[in-house]
C-alpha cells in the first residue's frame, strides 16, 4: 500500500491539535463541519491520537491506522458523525483503541495489535466487502459494556459462509435472503451461569425450515472462566435461553457446531446443562391406530406460545416458568409435531415432595419430551450435574407420574421411556393406562389437575360441554369439550390417581 499524504478539499475545516497528522501525545484529528477526504490508497497514522469527526469523512481506498501505547481513550474514534473507513487498522504497541461513535468499514478492519473496544457503539461492515482481518487472541474486538459488529449479507444456499469473517459460519440448502448478523461481547447470565464473552444474533429474511448448520467460532480469551471442554451451544428465541442438544465442539479450531437448525435466533456458548431424553404418552389424545398422539391443538393453532402451567399455579422453583416458543416450531408435522405442553420436575430422592427444578416442555406426537426448539432433549440449565433426582412428568388434565428410580445427571443424557416400560414408574402399571398395544400412557380426565380423577372433574367437564378452545375439559386435546371427553376419556378413570399423590 502506498503511503501518500492525504488530501484536503478546499471546504475542509480541519483542526489538528498537534503538529502533524502523525500526532504524538494527547492529540486529536478533528473534522469540524467540513469534509476530510482521504484519497487513493493513502495511509493516515494516528499515534496516540483521537479521530473526532463532527463533519464528513470520506476514504475511497485509504487506511487509517491507530498506533501508539496510550490508553484506549487516547486512541478513540468519536465525534457527532458516523465515520466510514475504507480500511481501519488497529496496531497499538500497548493498550487498544475504543469507539465513541458508530463507524462503518467498507473494506477491512485489520486487527494487528491491541484490542478495539466497541464501548457500546456499533461497527457496520459493508455488506459486500466489509470484513475483519487477522483477529487473534491478542488483537480482537471486545465489548464488555455493549455494542456490536454487524453485517447484512445475502445468503442463498450458503456453504460454510462466514460473513465478514465475523466468526459464525452458516450452511443451508435454502435461500435465507438478506440476513442480518450481529456479534456482541457482554457475557450472558444464563440461569445462574455465565456464557463466554461472545454472542451472535442471526436474522434471515427467510427464517424457517432451514435445515441449517452453524459453526460458532470463539477465542480462548473470551472463555470467561468457562472450561473449554464443557462448552455447548445456547440459544434464545424469546426471553429464555436454552441448551439444544446435538452439538460438536472442536477445541483445536475453536468452534462449536450445531446441526439441524430450523430457524436462527440468538446464540452463545456456555457450559452444557444436564439433559434428559424422555418419552411419555397422554391417554387423552392417544390414537391406538397410529400408536401416537393426535396433534389437533397444533393444527388448529390452539397450542399457546407461552407455557400454560404458571397460569394454572404449578410451582416452579429456581428460575423456571414463563417458557415461550417461537411459533415457527408449530409448523412441524408428522411424528415430531407438537401435541401440547407438559410439566417436568426433578424431585429430591430423599423427599419426593421437594421439587429441585421444574420446566415446561413440549410433547411430540411420538411421545418425545423436547425443549423449546421443538426437537432437542430437554435441558435443565440451573441444575448441577451432581444431582440424582427422581423425574416426574405432569400434564394439565392428566394424572402425573413419578419415576421409580433416580437418574444420574453426571452420566451423559439419561433415557427414560415411560411409554413402553411401566416398571420405570412409581406404582408400576397401575399408575398408567394400558393401551393394550404395548404402549402405556398418563391417565386422562383430571380436569382440575389435582392428581386424581374425581366427580368434581366430571361435574366441571359436564358444565363445559360444547365449548371450544385450549380448555381443561378438552381431555382428548382436539380443541372441543365433548361427550367423547366425558364418556371415553374421563368417566372410565374415575377414582384413579388418589394412591399416587406426592
Ligand atoms: Ca420424535
Ligand atoms: Ca381432579
Ligand atoms: Ca375434546
Amino acid at each position: 500500500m502506498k503511503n501518500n499524504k492525504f488530501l484536503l478539499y478546499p471546504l475542509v475545516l480541519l483542526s489538528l491539535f498537534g503538529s502533524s497528522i502523525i500526532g504524538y501525545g494527547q492529540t486529536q484529528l478533528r473534522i469540524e463541519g467540513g469534509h476530510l477526504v482521504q484519497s487513493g490508497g493513502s495511509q493516515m497514522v494516528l499515534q496516540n491520537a483521537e479521530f473526532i469527526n463532527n463533519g464528513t469523512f470520506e476514504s475511497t481506498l485509504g487506511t487509517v491506522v491507530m498506533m501508539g501505547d496510550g490508553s484506549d481513550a487516547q486512541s478513540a474514534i468519536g465525534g457527532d458523525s458516523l465515520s466510514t473507513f475504507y480500511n481501519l487498522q488497529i496496531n497499538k504497541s500497548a493498550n487498544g483503541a475504543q469507539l465513541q461513535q458508530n463507524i462503518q468499514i467498507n473494506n477491512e478492519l485489520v486487527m494487528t495489535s491491541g484490542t478495539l473496544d466497541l464501548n457500546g457503539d456499533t461497527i457496520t461492515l459493508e455488506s459486500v466487502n466489509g470484513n475483519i482481518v487477522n483477529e487473534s487472541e491478542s488483537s480482537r474486538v471486545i465489548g464488555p459494556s455493549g455494542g456490536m459488529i454487524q453485517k447484512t449479507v445475502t445468503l442463498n444456499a450458503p456453504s460454510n459462509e462466514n460473513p465478514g469473517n465475523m466468526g459464525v459460519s452458516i450452511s443451508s440448502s435454502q435461500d435465507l435472503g438478506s440476513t442480518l448478523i450481529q456479534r456482541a461481547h457482554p457475557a450472558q447470565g444464563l440461569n445462574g451461569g455465565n456464557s463466554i464473552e461472545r454472542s451472535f444474533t442471526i436474522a434471515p429474511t427467510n427464517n424457517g425450515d432451514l435445515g441449517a448448520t452453524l459453526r460458532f467460532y470463539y477465542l480462548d480469551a473470551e472463555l470467561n472462566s468457562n472450561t473449554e471442554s464443557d462448552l455447548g451451544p445456547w440459544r434464545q428465541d424469546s426471553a429464555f435461553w436454552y441448551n439444544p442438544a446435538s452439538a460438536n465442539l472442536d477445541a483445536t479450531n475453536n468452534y462449536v457446531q450445531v446441526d439441524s437448525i430450523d430457524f436462527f435466533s440468538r446464540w452463545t456458548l456456555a457450559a452444557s446443562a444436564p439433559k434428559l431424553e424422555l418419552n411419555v404418552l397422554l391417554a387423552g389424545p392417544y390414537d391406538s391406530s397410529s400408536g401416537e398422539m393426535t396433534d389437533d391443538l397444533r393444527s388448529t393453532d390452539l397450542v399457546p406460545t407461552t407455557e400454560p402451567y404458571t397460569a394454572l399455579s404449578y410451582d416452579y422453583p429456581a428460575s423456571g416458568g414463563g417458557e415461550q416458543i417461537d411459533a415457527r416450531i408449530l409448523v412441524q408435522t408428522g411424528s415430531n409435531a407438537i401435541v401440547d405442553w407438559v410439566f417436568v420436575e426433578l424431585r429430591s430422592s430423599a423427599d419426593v415432595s421437594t421439587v429441585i427444578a421444574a420446566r415446561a416442555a413440549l410433547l411430540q406426537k411420538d411421545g418425545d419430551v423436547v425443549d423449546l426448539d421443538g426437537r432437542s432433549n430437554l435441558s435443565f440449565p440451573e441444575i448441577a450435574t451432581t444431582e440424582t433426582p427422581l423425574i416426574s412428568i405432569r400434564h394439565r388434565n392428566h394424572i402425573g407420574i413419578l419415576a421409580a428410580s433416580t437418574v444420574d445427571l453426571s452420566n451423559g443424557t439419561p433415557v427414560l421411556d415411560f411409554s413402553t416400560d411401566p416398571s420405570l414408574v412409581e406404582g408400576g402399571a397401575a399408575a398408567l393406562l394400558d393401551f393394550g398395544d404395548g404402549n402405556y400412557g398418563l391417565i386422562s380426565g383430571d380436569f382440575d389437575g389435582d392428581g386424581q380423577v374425581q366427580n368434581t372433574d366430571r361435574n366441571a367437564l359436564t358444565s363445559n360441554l360444547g365449548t371450544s378452545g385450549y380448555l381443561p375439559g378438552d381431555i382428548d386435546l382436539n380443541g372441543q369439550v365433548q361427550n367423547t371427553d366425558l364418556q371415553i376419556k374421563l368417566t372410565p378413570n374415575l377414582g384413579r390417581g388418589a394412591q399416587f399423590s406426592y
Side-chain angles (χ1 to χ4, degrees), residues 6 39 67 72 107 140 149 181 260 264 266 314 325 339 353 357 388 403 443 452 456 468:
F6 64 91
S39 70
M67 293 187 72
D72 291 11
N107 192 46
R140 59 195 173 95
I149 312 170
I181 300 171
S260 302
F264 282 113
R266 192 173 181 204
Y314 281 60
I325 52 171
V339 172
S353 68
T388 54
I443 297 167
Q452 304 178 42
T456 46
S468 58

Side-chain angles (χ1 to χ4, degrees), residues 165-186:
N165 206 16
M166 292 169 71
V168 66
S169 174
I170 296 170
S171 300
S172 170
S173 61
Q174 303 295 309
D175 181 359
L176 284 65
S178 178
T179 302
L180 173 64
I181 300 171
Q182 296 173 318
R183 181 180 123 189
H185 293 281

Side-chain angles (χ1 to χ4, degrees), residues 335-336 364 366 368:
S335 293
N336 296 328
Q364 295 179 339
D366 61 6
D368 292 324

Side-chain angles (χ1 to χ4, degrees), residues 12-74:
V12 164
L13 171 58
L14 176 69
S15 307
L16 284 175
F17 296 90
S19 57
S20 73
I21 295 306
I22 301 176
Y24 295 88
Q26 294 223 15
T27 59
Q28 291 182 327
L29 169 66
R30 296 186 74 90
I31 307 167
E32 294 288 358
H35 273 69
L36 172 59
V37 177
Q38 184 186 15
S39 70
S42 62
Q43 190 172 67
M44 185 192 314
V45 177
L46 295 174
Q47 180 88 9
N48 292 334
E50 297 170 62
F51 182 96
I52 305 296
N53 178 8
N54 293 321
T56 302
F57 174 65
E58 292 179 32
S59 178
T60 49
L61 293 169
T63 301
V64 172
V65 188
M66 310 299 283
M67 293 187 72
D69 59 1
S71 68
D72 291 11
Q74 286 177 309

Side-chain angles (χ1 to χ4, degrees), residues 1 43 62-66 85-92 97 103 105 107-116 123 125 130-136 139-141 165:
M1 186 172 290
Q43 190 172 67
T63 301
V64 172
V65 188
M66 310 299 283
F85 298 92
Y86 183 72
N87 295 322
L88 174 66
Q89 182 181 10
I90 308 303
N91 189 10
K92 295 285 300 281
I103 65 171
I105 306 287
N107 192 46
E108 292 183 344
L109 171 61
V110 184
M111 300 302 298
T112 302
S113 181
T115 54
L116 174 58
I123 300 173
L125 301 174
N131 73 115
I132 309 171
V133 178
N134 285 347
E135 195 171 27
S136 67
S139 184
R140 59 195 173 95
V141 178
N165 206 16

Side-chain angles (χ1 to χ4, degrees), residues 75-320:
S75 294
I77 300 171
D80 298 336
S81 304
L82 182 145
S83 297
T84 299
F85 298 92
Y86 183 72
N87 295 322
L88 174 66
Q89 182 181 10
I90 308 303
N91 189 10
K92 295 285 300 281
S93 58
N95 298 307
Q98 74 175 205
L99 298 187
Q100 293 176 357
Q101 172 63 285
N102 300 334
I103 65 171
Q104 176 165 323
I105 306 287
N106 279 349
N107 192 46
E108 292 183 344
L109 171 61
V110 184
M111 300 302 298
T112 302
S113 181
T115 54
L116 174 58
D117 186 352
L118 295 166
N119 194 30
D121 291 315
T122 297
I123 300 173
T124 299
L125 301 174
E126 190 274 330
S127 61
V128 178
N129 295 318
N131 73 115
I132 309 171
V133 178
N134 285 347
E135 195 171 27
S136 67
E137 298 290 346
S138 60
S139 184
R140 59 195 173 95
V141 178
I142 63 172
S145 61
M148 68 177 78
I149 312 170
Q150 65 179 12
K151 181 174 171 106
T152 301
V153 288
T154 298
L155 295 175
N156 187 356
S159 176
N160 267 322
E161 272 194 45
N162 181 356
N165 206 16
M166 292 169 71
V168 66
S169 174
I170 296 170
S171 300
S172 170
S173 61
Q174 303 295 309
D175 181 359
L176 284 65
S178 178
T179 302
L180 173 64
I181 300 171
Q182 296 173 318
R183 181 180 123 189
H185 293 281
Q188 305 297 318
L190 296 179
N191 297 315
N194 263 316
S195 77
I196 68 164
E197 292 164 343
R198 174 180 290 220
S199 61
F200 286 100
T201 301
I202 304 168
T205 301
N206 306 317
N207 196 13
D209 205 18
L210 299 179
T213 292
L214 170 77
R215 275 191 187 176
F216 185 124
Y217 289 88
Y218 59 90
L219 295 167
D220 292 344
E222 297 166 340
L223 285 174
N224 189 26
S225 301
N226 282 282
T227 301
E228 188 172 8
S229 59
D230 291 344
L231 289 181
W234 288 71
R235 63 180 295 177
Q236 184 189 41
D237 309 329
S238 59
F240 274 79
W241 287 95
Y242 60 100
N243 177 210
S246 69
N248 294 308
L249 168 71
D250 185 332
T252 304
N253 296 305
N254 277 22
Y255 67 79
V256 169
Q257 176 169 319
V258 191
D259 298 317
S260 302
I261 296 167
D262 299 315
F263 62 94
F264 282 113
S265 53
R266 192 173 181 204
W267 299 77
T268 190
L269 305 179
S272 290
K275 296 183 188 69
L276 294 168
E277 184 176 334
L278 304 174
N279 193 283
V280 68
L281 297 168
L282 301 175
Y286 185 70
D287 174 6
S288 56
S289 67
S290 66
E292 296 184 338
M293 292 169 284
T294 55
D295 63 339
D296 294 348
L297 290 179
R298 183 201 65 78
S299 63
T300 54
D301 292 331
L302 288 173
V303 174
T305 53
T306 299
E307 54 82 19
Y309 293 101
T310 297
L312 294 168
S313 299
Y314 281 60
D315 185 28
Y316 282 93
S319 59

